[in-house]
Amino acid sequence: MKLSRYAAGLSAPLYLLALFLLRERIPGGVSFLLSAAIGPIAAAYFSGAYLLARKRDDRVPDLVPLLAWGAAAAMEIHAFVPPVARTGVVPAALFFGIALKFPATLSVPAILCADAWLAAVPGPFVKEIYYTSAMALIAGAAGIAVRGGYRKGEREANGVQEAIARSRALILPWEESGNGGMPATGEMTEESSLLRREEELKDGIRQALERLLGLTGASHVAYIARSGSPGSDLHEGILLSGGSPVTREISLPDTYVPVREATVFRKPFLEAGPGARRYAPWKNGPGSAPGGVAAVPVFREGVVEGVLLAVRDDEGPWSDPVVPAMELAGHFVGRDIERMRELHQGDRYFLRGEWYHRMVRKMAEVGTERDAEPAGGERSRREMVYAETVEQVRRQVDADRVLLVESGESPGNGRLAWSVSADGGGGPGPEGFEPLGDSYVGWVIRTGTQRIFPGSGGPPRSQGILPGVWEREGERSFLVLPVEGRVGFRGALVCAHPQEKRFRKRHAEIARDITRVMQLGLSHVERLESLTIKATTDGLTGLSNRKAFLERLAADLARLDGRYPCGVVMLDIDHFKGVNDTYGHPFGDEVLRGVASVLGKGVRKGDTAGRYGGEEFVLYLHMANTERARDGAERFRRMIRQIRFPHEGKEIAVTASFGVACSPHHGNGVVELLKHADEALYLSKQRGRDRVTVYPG
């Protein structure tokens, strides 16, 4: 679609070039007139297509071909219709429109090309180059100037919007929204709910400040509350000045006398006249030499939620009564805060319950999923829990990146169990553990204490938040939360964001609740793993039982599909009945466990050893042809011969007989391969035992 769109637009300049060359070869005649008619016809066609597309809801009108061919048709009319050319309307309108529609990097080359074409094609003017060049200069410059003024006004409008957006970053006494909003997925989260309630509260506070300006005669009024940034000693909020509809951010230290009087001593502050200059809230600009300053605390249920501040630039007394008017406004602001808090609490309880039940359902679904195959390709049950946990934390906390760090046996080591980023990247980290060094994530794991790093203010950190290999450039705010449990997982959860002062205590509460659900999911996984082991493992030897081995063999044979070799080996302990009769069944069990230990430890990754029944065992050798399968069986035979089982001061040795069958040479099915391996085992016993025989012998 894009290719056809740009092809239609680019064909117009090529058409004009072809028309110029044709004019040189065929100055007149029917052929040239038919060729010249293509431009207006194409312009009319694209104009009709544009108008039809505008009337249809399922089509987006395409303006590029219309602009290109419309300009081409206009240039033809100017060149070949003298009455129109004498008016000068075409180059004036064309050059002005191009400069107005496109930036200078595109409009200037387009104007130069159009000017050159008009000058090259004979027209009604003797000095066409001077005429069109003057038009290009005047009309093009006018278009660029108008466009620049329009863009400047647009930037100013955007600046107003940005100022309004910044004013919405008011830090409320109980929590802060950061830059969170409705996620790109459209899913409502606690962060987006908080932003919506904050917007409603900002409107109420702004209206109260507007009324306060008129009632008190102040030049500037503000609402400020204690900053939620960890370690901050500031009061932050919004400021409204007379004559400006836009609120701005404001921050004042706790030591500012009017704020201290209102928050610590819980009483109004009022000063007018020359003495008010000592309480200037800022150093430069309007309000830096005030003629009056007033502040009152905003209460909610006896608790100071914030401060209303009024600053007067003019000399003279305050409008009477200024303090009662501010206290009345504070009453309404406190009421709005309480109402919005209750609404947000309701949203939070609902949303938290929603994601909690979603996570619980997800953890329950883990039990219906298959475990990862040894060859990889599928997430294990634990990885599914990790992935859901970090993704849920990223959504609810609105973090840019979330890392789940698992602690090793030593708290000084850790590995990246799972990570996720807002850009969709992430996944499991390397299998091995690495030193955490003097990073803060290691300190959090060792001490079990959460840390929030705002990323601004204070002395530079001497330690990194994360080990160097896990760091990412541009991340400034961090939340590091310890994750502990008797079972499941031990380590830390790390949330990172490039914005300063991004995380608050409430984010830690959300993340902690999610990790608790994760621990429940991991406990569920451990229970499933325990049940799986019991269902698939032989209780005496610890090898795969017959059912599990046959399922694995069938799955691998289906995957290999006869294209790659594999081997099946059956072995039987020689004279095992005599061992049981002579030394007793407990000693026979020790022999079975000893042989199983050799088989389990000796198989390669990707191979499988199982107990087939009684004293009979079976091996699956992945990607092994007949020769390699025979060599493997021979190696196991020699290893079994070397085992010594102590019994009443003596050492007892046993031997085993082996039968080998390989796919696809000896068959492709489970039943066929086992049957041929068993027949080869029978031949080994017939030939004197303690030997390896490959089918058909």
Side-chain angles (χ1 to χ4, degrees):
M1 196 67 184
K2 288 184 178 180
L3 183 62
S4 62
R5 175 187 181 215
Y6 290 118
L10 291 174
S11 60
L14 297 176
Y15 163 75
L16 289 175
L17 179 61
L19 190 65
F20 171 76
L21 298 176
L22 189 63
R23 174 67 179 263
E24 297 293 323
R25 294 175 178 271
I26 310 175
V30 177
S31 300
F32 177 79
L33 293 177
L34 291 177
S35 301
I38 295 176
I41 293 173
Y45 169 79
F46 286 113
S47 177
Y50 177 81
L51 294 175
L52 289 175
R54 288 190 62 181
K55 293 183 178 181
R56 295 186 58 177
D57 295 334
D58 61 339
R59 293 290 178 89
V60 177
D62 192 358
L63 194 59
V64 172
L66 174 59
L67 292 176
W69 282 99
M75 292 167 64
E76 282 190 58
I77 293 172
H78 175 85
F80 305 134
V81 182
V84 175
R86 291 189 181 93
T87 65
V89 66
V90 169
L94 180 63
F95 296 155
F96 179 83
I98 291 175
L100 185 65
K101 178 66 178 175
F102 302 103
T105 53
L106 296 178
S107 62
V108 172
I111 290 173
L112 292 177
C113 291
D115 186 17
W117 190 89
L118 290 174
V121 176
F125 301 102
V126 178
K127 298 293 185 179
E128 186 77 24
I129 182 62
Y130 300 122
Y131 169 77
T132 56
S133 297
M135 281 293 192
L137 181 62
I138 297 171
I144 292 174
V146 172
R147 176 182 172 85
Y150 170 77
R151 298 296 293 177
K152 181 179 179 182
E154 186 179 51
R155 285 194 296 271
E156 290 176 353
N158 290 340
V160 171
Q161 296 298 325
E162 291 173 3
I164 294 173
R166 285 196 301 270
S167 73
R168 289 175 175 170
L170 168 65
I171 300 175
L172 298 181
W174 67 97
E175 53 198 0
E176 183 216 30
S177 70
N179 71 335
M182 183 67 74
T185 60
E187 177 188 3
M188 178 67 76
T189 64
E190 291 187 37
E191 200 73 7
S192 58
S193 166
L194 176 60
L195 179 62
R196 183 179 65 178
R197 298 304 180 191
E198 278 194 345
E199 289 176 349
E200 297 174 7
L201 181 58
K202 302 300 188 306
D203 290 338
I205 292 177
R206 183 178 55 79
Q207 292 173 13
L209 295 179
E210 288 175 350
R211 296 189 185 98
L212 203 56
L213 277 173
L215 289 173
T216 62
S219 304
H220 317 276
V221 290
Y223 172 77
I224 54 177
R226 182 174 293 278
S227 171
S229 301
S232 174
D233 57 355
L234 298 176
H235 271 64
E236 299 176 337
I238 55 176
L239 171 73
L240 183 64
S241 300
S244 174
V246 179
T247 56
R248 294 176 294 164
E249 292 181 344
I250 180 176
S251 62
L252 296 171
D254 290 350
T255 55
Y256 179 57
V257 173
V259 171
R260 187 178 61 190
E261 290 287 316
T263 55
V264 178
F265 299 103
R266 302 162 61 90
K267 63 180 183 180
F269 174 89
L270 182 65
E271 185 69 37
R277 294 177 179 270
R278 294 178 297 171
Y279 307 111
W282 46 83
K283 295 181 179 180
N284 301 311
S288 59
V293 177
V296 298
V298 175
F299 292 101
R300 187 196 64 83
E301 297 181 354
V303 178
V304 178
E305 295 285 350
V307 177
L308 282 175
L309 177 69
V311 180
R312 179 182 175 88
D313 289 334
D314 301 332
E315 296 290 342
W318 281 99
S319 299
D320 191 40
V322 60
V323 171
M326 294 179 69
E327 288 177 336
L328 180 62
H331 167 74
F332 288 113
V333 171
R335 188 184 64 179
D336 285 347
I337 290 175
E338 174 63 18
R339 183 170 62 89
M340 290 305 164
R341 178 178 295 177
E342 291 177 353
L343 290 173
H344 175 59
Q345 289 289 354
D347 293 343
R348 186 169 70 174
Y349 290 146
F350 170 76
L351 293 168
R352 189 163 294 191
E354 187 178 30
W355 67 250
Y356 174 82
H357 290 299
R358 189 195 297 106
M359 280 196 69
V360 169
R361 288 195 301 270
K362 193 75 174 180
M363 300 307 172
E365 290 172 1
V366 169
T368 65
E369 303 289 341
R370 295 178 57 193
D371 286 328
E373 298 293 340
E378 266 185 72
R379 290 183 183 176
S380 70
R381 287 169 172 162
R382 286 179 175 272
E383 288 178 335
M384 293 173 63
V385 174
Y386 295 156
E388 178 64 21
T389 299
V390 296
E391 179 60 28
Q392 199 63 242
V393 170
R394 189 192 66 79
R395 290 179 184 175
Q396 300 302 326
V397 176
D398 195 22
D400 185 70
R401 189 166 65 119
V402 179
L403 303 91
L404 191 61
V405 181
E406 183 179 10
S407 174
E409 294 183 2
S410 168
N413 296 326
R415 75 175 188 92
L416 193 59
W418 204 270
S419 67
V420 68
S421 302
D423 57 9
E431 288 290 334
F433 290 83
E434 58 183 80
L436 298 176
D438 59 353
S439 64
Y440 274 108
V441 67
W443 180 86
V444 167
I445 292 174
R446 291 192 301 272
T447 62
T449 305
Q450 75 179 38
R451 288 297 303 270
I452 298 176
F453 300 92
S456 65
R461 293 189 298 266
S462 59
Q463 300 170 251
I465 308 299
L466 297 167
V469 293
W470 298 343
E471 289 182 345
R472 179 177 292 183
E473 186 177 357
E475 292 178 339
R476 309 183 73 174
S477 297
F478 293 90
L479 165 63
V480 187
L481 183 74
V483 181
E484 297 178 334
R486 295 181 180 178
V487 296
F489 184 92
R490 183 178 183 275
L493 180 78
V494 182
C495 301
H497 203 281
Q499 178 186 337
E500 294 181 357
K501 302 179 183 180
R502 182 60 193 82
F503 301 112
R504 300 291 182 268
K505 290 182 179 179
R506 70 179 190 85
H507 295 111
E509 294 174 3
I510 295 172
R512 186 178 292 107
D513 287 344
I514 294 175
T515 58
R516 286 169 181 163
V517 181
M518 178 192 74
Q519 296 287 34
L520 291 176
L522 292 175
S523 180
H524 175 55
V525 167
E526 289 188 358
R527 176 63 177 166
L528 291 174
E529 290 174 348
S530 176
L531 293 174
T532 301
I533 290 173
K534 290 181 179 179
T536 61
T537 305
D538 178 65
L540 177 63
T541 63
L543 299 179
S544 297
N545 59 24
R546 180 171 181 167
K547 179 176 179 296
F549 179 87
L550 293 178
E551 289 177 353
R552 167 67 192 281
L553 179 60
D556 275 41
L557 288 175
R559 185 164 54 246
L560 296 176
D561 194 25
R563 294 173 297 176
Y564 303 100
C566 66
V568 175
V569 179
M570 296 193 72
L571 62 139
D572 185 282
I573 299 176
D574 296 330
H575 305 295
F576 185 72
K577 184 177 182 303
V579 171
N580 276 335
D581 293 343
T582 305
Y583 305 106
H585 288 279
F587 180 78
D589 292 343
E590 287 295 327
V591 172
L592 292 174
R593 280 192 287 266
V595 172
S597 176
V598 168
L599 299 176
K601 294 178 181 179
V603 292
R604 306 168 302 170
K605 185 177 181 180
D607 296 346
T608 304
R611 186 183 181 192
Y612 201 68
E615 70 274 19
E616 199 168 23
F617 296 88
V618 63
L619 301 173
Y620 165 72
L621 305 180
H622 186 64
M623 299 290 288
N625 56 22
T626 302
E627 183 178 355
R628 294 184 64 181
R630 174 183 171 80
D631 292 343
E634 184 63 32
R635 178 170 60 89
F636 281 117
R637 185 189 69 82
R638 291 194 298 268
M639 292 170 65
I640 292 173
R641 281 180 58 89
Q642 295 172 2
I643 305 175
R644 296 295 181 265
F645 300 96
H647 180 73
E648 296 180 354
K650 296 186 296 183
E651 289 186 342
I652 310 300
V654 296
T655 60
S657 300
F658 291 75
V660 179
C662 291
S663 171
H665 186 61
H666 301 137
N668 290 319
V670 174
V671 175
E672 190 176 13
L673 284 174
L674 289 173
K675 178 176 179 294
H676 292 161
D678 187 57
E679 291 177 1
L681 171 61
Y682 180 74
L683 290 175
S684 291
K685 289 186 172 293
Q686 277 189 329
R687 294 172 179 175
R689 306 179 190 276
D690 188 21
R691 65 185 63 240
V692 175
T693 302
V694 178
Y695 182 87

